[in-house]
Amino acid sequence: MDRRWHLAQSGSDVDTTELEFALMRAFEGFGRWQSECLASVCDLAATGPENAMLHIIRMNDRPKSLKEIARLMNRDDVPNIQYSLRKLLGAALIVRLGAGRSGVTYACTEAGLRVTDDYAVLRRKLLLAEIANVPGFAARLAEASRTLNLLSGIYEEVARVAATHRRG
């Protein structure tokens, strides 16, 4: 099968492009999984990133600032993050603490704790049980995590380089 096209001419080009398409498909599947799992434990219609934001706010049971949330999610689209925060606030899953530009943090409410706990139980029952049934998959997951973290850094660096070479 010829897998070459404008993005992929050589072997490593093809491998990189295949990985990028697999990453896109995995990202979309992950987002659908997050939305469906959350919908199974509460009535909030949330996107995958909004669900991830809820769990990041809950992480270590410590309130997070907008800046921390953005950094932990590797996002810089502050207006979209603020929209998602308002959605989670409206659903009473999180609460806004403090005041001022730098003193505001977000924490899970009792309802948010319940939802994230229920999500974790369902995640273990469905996803983690399925993963446990694949022989040798734990080691593959660890290697994939290392690879994706490395790739994330590479994408960040080349994005900076591309930004400095923009045309007009």
Side-chain angles (χ1 to χ4, degrees), residues 114-132:
R114 222 174 13 265
V115 165
T116 53
D117 283 344
D118 291 348
Y119 182 99
V121 168
L122 186 58
R123 180 176 180 268
R124 278 190 291 278
K125 180 179 174 186
L126 297 177
L127 178 65
L128 300 182
E130 188 71 24
I131 287 170

